[in-house]
Amino acid sequence: MPRFGVLGPLTIEDPPGRRTTPRGDHQRALLAVLLLNANSSVPVDALVETLWPDTPPKSYSSNLHTYVSRLRARFEGLEIERDPHGYRLVVAPADLDLLSFREAAAAGKAAARAGDPASAAGHYRRALAEWRGPVLSGLHIPRLDADVARLESERLAAFEDCVDAELSDGRHGELTGELQAMITEHPLRERLAAQLMIALHRAGRQADSLAVHRELRATLVEELGVEPGAEVRRVHAAVLRGEDPVPSAKATPIFPICQLPPDISDLAGRESEIAKLSGLLGDGTGVPVAVITGEPGAGKSTLAVATAHRLRRSFPDGQLFVPLAGASDPRDLSDVLGDLLRALGVTGPAIPDDVEARAAVYRGRLADRRVLVVLDDAASPEQVRALLPGTPGTAVLITSRRRLSGLAGADRLPLAPLSGAEAMTLLARLAGPDRVGAERADAERIAKACGNLPLALRIAGSRLAMRPGLPLGKLAGRLEDEVSRLDELQVSDLQVRGSIALSYQALSPAARRAFRLIGRCRTLDLPAWAVTTLIDDEDADEAIDELVEASLLEATGLDATGEQRFRVHDLVRVYATELGRELETRAERVATVAKVSDAALCLADTAARRLPRTVPMPLSDHDVPAQPLEAELVERLLSDPGTWFSVERANLVSAVSSLCAVGWRRKALRILERLSAYLYLHSHYTDMRTSYETLRDAAREAEDRHIAVIADANLAVLLHVRGEYERAAEGYRACSKELAELGDLATRAWVETNLAHCLVGLGRAGESLHAATQAREMSTVEDSGTHARRAESAALHRLGKISEALEIDRRILAQARESADDRQLGVALQGLSWSLMLDGRQEEALATIEESVRVLRRTTAKSALAKSLRTQGAILAGAGRREGAVKAYENARRLAGALEERPRELSCTRAIAASWIGDGRADRAIPVLRRCLDEFRAMGGKPATGLTLHVLRRAYEAVGETEAAEAAGEEAKRLEVPHDANASTLVRLLLSLTEPAPA
């Protein structure tokens, strides 16, 4: 899950440390408003007002859905839920700075109420640290102005609460500068002024404190015409009397005191070590000192805390816990002693400035007390000595990465890693005993890869707990890769790079060359054909084996095509790329990348030509190189072209982006044209849209008009399939004009055909027929001509010219039967069946559509099958076979929903709702039909809107809502187009479903 930030500029960290942001103002605004209302539903109206503050577009609903889909696709793990009221972004407090701020501020309030100002101040400081600047700085969204102002008020209130806590804790000396800066920003804030007066007075600066009052009073009188409030007057009076403005609370007993962190419940092993430490510290003689030493991650602090909890009864006056941060940034001894003295009840002026004096007061407070002092992560003997108590009864337990040999009289306990059994116990407690028991062999592999080190085991176990579906074997495989293991366990870049360098230097010259070549491919998941193409050497297999043996290349098994896959860690790839830049020429690097991208393009070309061509855009033969791979390998990989595309889909999408980045736009287009054959067939519209947007943006930046317009034409197709007819038609027209100027008639023919189909959906049959005819005349290949003739048939239906449409559909079917292509045949049968139905040949239409469905069920063309099932439902309704009609519509709706083909899904929903009217459930049908109506109107589909109104009229009549029925009927009548045989027939068929079922 990414981590989001709104307390400052809008940021998304995914992975941690790498910040990104959504593309486009609308996506940024949408994400911002959802984050500011995290875990709460935001009404659609509010989102629309946010995105379009002036006038929203007619297609605002589908636009909003598109933006939400893009956010989900861009940020893996992003949860945006749709509920009856709107949209809700689900996020954990740790993954959003606003929620983290509020959680920490609430903890601060709770600690303050509990009388623990030091703890409260810590929580407040943690809360304030989440702020990086003004809320959503750089992103102005007028509708959020009130929310932004409210959050700024929350921030200021948290700061003031923090100051109160720190003043109560005696930290006035640290606050004056910060308070003065805040007052400069908020000169009318009386609480801030009172706090600054208190801090200055306690620091012995009475004159400065009084000056703050004078400046505040002058400002309030001049700007607001009012005197300072009661609190400021009270503080002012106390300062004038030389008294502490905040009287000390009644002294409360300090002892017993316990500062120990919680004891962990999943401690595994260490019983013998706890017993030994307990014996050393609890004997009651002198001031025993025990030092736990060991490597990082050995569990020193965990053991110290567990031991201290066991010894609480032996030290009834308390347990102090002092973090010394010796491994990172050793704390200043004066600060440490100051914290200890405040914990022991010494505050304000009673805390000396001199370190030795502070140490003396500290020892005095512990004199004759039975207190255990835990000094965690000590840096040196010098840091520890001043913290040792001076009288018997107390004891000291120290943890350190060093032995602290200069600390005389201390007992040392070197802490080794866990035993094998203890490691398995810890892993089981973290990931679940049943899960570890069921995959024990893989769990043992994980423990071994972690070296039985408690910290490493805890990280691995926590990852398993967060991902219940992750097989232990998979995690074990990652950890067994020596290159990626430290990164998996959060070890720094420098250490990882050093480890990679050591492995690289141990390789043979051939393997070193192979390593650098693999680094040129930005894809991390590599098929064997790509690796061998990159290396291009007869000894490639030996070099690959050596890289795998050195853990610089991970063999991940066979994919669905039977090809070996290899995985390269990203940091390994970066290191290999760095070496390549240092040791090889640019020409050599370019030649290698060209070779592997040629192989990918040729494979994609062959695979695409073996799939049914459903995407209504041309597949260019230009710029396709000769296949560099052996024919036998190509046949094995592409025995099932759909499987090959599914395996390489992510790599090909990534390749499009990478090729655009280096300026190879033409090759990126050729790969994407072929990948689209698979993506469109299986409705992977998000990948298709993202890739074409990337290509279009790169082409525009390079002023490459031809590639840019082809990308725009494909993006218009995606608008079309989602039912955004007006935008799609506008896009098609712009592309057609541009293609005409560029002289690309072949592509323009496809675009004009798509425009013709789109205009049918908009109810503009005359324009559609003109576009379709023009497209047919421009067509240079059979595919585009057939597509244009289908558009002509659809337009002729709307114009009432059924005989002409029948003639076209019969010719299309004859060609399809000759092609022996089941998809073409099924589509042609569907077109003819509907023309037959419009011509009154019901029995012939029914037989034809049934053949269409049978044929298409043998193919992967799910979209075409959904269309045929919908047509089958309509024809069955006309034949009075109500049950079969509803079943066909339900099957079509399921397919259309899965394919995200919203117009078709809505039309099937409308037919099913019509059947409910006939079943006596009109009250249930009405809200469904209203929603369909709203969406059809937003799409601009007049024929679909009119059909829905006819069904809705019948529903209103069934429940007795006469006025609503009349209004729906009148509006439907206004939308009717003379001679539209398609609409009139569909009205008749749909209304037949509203009639009561025969007994």
Side-chain angles (χ1 to χ4, degrees), residues 469-798:
L470 177 66
L472 270 64
K474 187 171 183 180
L475 179 60
R478 292 176 182 172
L479 293 173
E480 285 168 348
D481 181 348
E482 292 180 2
V483 173
S484 63
R485 180 185 308 163
L486 296 180
D487 185 61
E488 294 283 345
L489 300 176
Q490 302 182 13
V491 179
S492 71
D493 275 356
L494 183 59
Q495 292 170 322
V496 171
R497 180 175 280 110
S499 176
I500 299 170
L502 290 173
S503 298
Y504 172 77
Q505 290 159 8
L507 296 173
S508 67
R512 289 186 185 184
R513 174 180 173 274
F515 177 74
R516 297 194 300 270
L517 290 169
I518 291 171
R520 295 175 190 170
C521 187
R522 296 187 63 83
T523 301
L524 302 182
D525 175 34
L526 292 167
W529 62 263
V531 175
T532 54
T533 302
L534 283 165
I535 298 173
D536 192 23
D537 188 280
E538 60 182 10
D539 296 325
D541 287 343
E542 287 78 4
I544 291 170
D545 289 343
E546 188 175 348
L547 290 174
V548 172
E549 183 67 24
S551 296
L552 294 173
L553 190 65
E554 180 187 0
T556 58
L558 302 180
D559 63 26
T561 68
E563 186 76 348
Q564 176 69 56
R565 308 293 293 194
F566 296 99
R567 182 164 181 80
V568 185
H569 192 280
D570 192 37
L571 291 175
V572 175
R573 182 193 63 76
V574 170
Y575 181 70
T577 303
E578 290 174 355
L579 288 174
R581 284 197 294 264
E582 293 173 8
L583 301 176
E584 290 156 2
T585 66
R586 184 179 186 280
E588 290 173 326
R589 298 197 300 273
V590 168
T592 304
V593 175
K595 196 180 305 177
V596 74
S597 59
D598 282 351
L601 171 55
C602 290
L603 284 170
D605 182 67
T606 304
R609 294 181 189 279
R610 295 180 181 181
L611 289 176
R613 185 72 185 173
T614 59
V615 59
M617 286 296 290
L619 184 66
S620 172
D621 292 326
H622 299 300
D623 311 310
V624 179
Q627 174 60 266
L629 302 180
E630 294 180 1
E632 184 180 350
L633 173 60
V634 171
E635 285 305 311
R636 179 173 63 77
L637 290 172
L638 302 182
S639 61
D640 183 342
T643 297
W644 183 82
F645 268 125
S646 71
V647 167
E648 300 297 350
R649 170 184 160 194
N651 284 345
L652 293 172
V653 169
S654 175
V656 169
S657 178
S658 298
L659 291 170
C660 286
V662 298
W664 293 6
R665 296 177 300 280
R666 184 68 56 181
K667 182 172 283 187
L669 172 61
R670 296 296 173 246
I671 289 177
L672 184 51
E673 285 174 339
R674 283 137 185 88
L675 176 60
S676 294
Y678 170 79
L679 296 177
Y680 193 85
L681 179 63
H682 294 281
S683 300
H684 297 311
Y685 300 134
T686 298
D687 279 352
M688 194 172 167
R689 180 171 55 252
T690 301
S691 297
Y692 273 113
E693 285 174 346
T694 299
L695 179 63
R696 178 199 60 195
D697 294 345
R700 286 179 177 175
E701 186 175 345
E703 298 183 356
D704 188 334
R705 293 173 61 197
H706 191 225
I707 289 181
V709 72
I710 291 175
D712 276 330
N714 279 276
L715 291 169
V717 169
L718 297 177
L719 291 172
H720 189 170
V721 79
R722 289 181 59 83
E724 299 185 39
Y725 297 133
E726 290 288 2
R727 289 181 62 198
E730 182 181 346
Y732 287 141
R733 283 202 164 99
C735 290
S736 180
K737 181 180 179 182
E738 182 83 354
L739 289 164
E741 292 177 5
L742 294 170
D744 185 350
L745 289 181
T747 306
R748 187 182 173 209
W750 281 96
V751 171
E752 284 289 334
T753 299
N754 294 335
L755 174 61
H757 281 288
C758 192
L759 290 169
V760 166
L762 288 168
R764 285 138 68 175
E767 293 177 54
S768 173
L769 183 60
H770 174 75
T773 303
Q774 182 172 280
R776 177 169 51 78
E777 292 170 352
M778 286 189 288
S779 296
T780 58
V781 294
E782 184 177 309
D783 279 355
S784 62
T786 301
H787 196 49
R789 285 195 292 275
R790 289 197 193 103
E792 283 186 278
S793 175
L796 290 167
H797 289 166
R798 270 68 177 183

Side-chain angles (χ1 to χ4, degrees), residues 761-900:
L762 288 168
R764 285 138 68 175
E767 293 177 54
S768 173
L769 183 60
H770 174 75
T773 303
Q774 182 172 280
R776 177 169 51 78
E777 292 170 352
M778 286 189 288
S779 296
T780 58
V781 294
E782 184 177 309
D783 279 355
S784 62
T786 301
H787 196 49
R789 285 195 292 275
R790 289 197 193 103
E792 283 186 278
S793 175
L796 290 167
H797 289 166
R798 270 68 177 183
L799 295 170
K801 300 179 180 181
I802 307 305
S803 59
E804 294 179 42
L806 261 172
E807 183 180 347
I808 289 173
D809 289 328
R810 291 189 193 280
R811 287 203 302 269
I812 293 173
L813 178 58
Q815 291 176 350
R817 290 197 188 278
E818 291 176 4
S819 74
D821 182 325
D822 279 348
R823 189 198 69 84
Q824 288 189 36
L825 177 58
V827 170
L829 286 165
Q830 183 276 330
L832 177 60
S833 72
W834 190 239
S835 288
L836 290 168
M837 187 67 186
L838 297 183
D839 200 41
R841 306 182 195 183
Q842 186 169 285
E843 291 302 320
E844 196 176 345
L846 188 54
T848 305
I849 193 59
E850 287 175 348
E851 183 184 359
S852 172
V853 170
R854 283 196 306 273
V855 169
L856 288 171
R857 286 194 190 279
R858 301 197 296 261
T859 74
T860 56
K862 302 302 181 186
S863 178
L865 176 58
K867 185 175 183 179
S868 284
L869 285 167
R870 182 182 64 176
T871 302
Q872 185 183 39
I875 295 174
L876 285 170
R881 293 164 58 177
R882 178 194 189 81
E883 184 176 345
V886 173
K887 184 176 180 181
Y889 276 123
E890 287 174 343
N891 289 335
R893 182 173 68 169
R894 268 193 300 273
L895 274 175
L899 298 172
E900 297 186 27

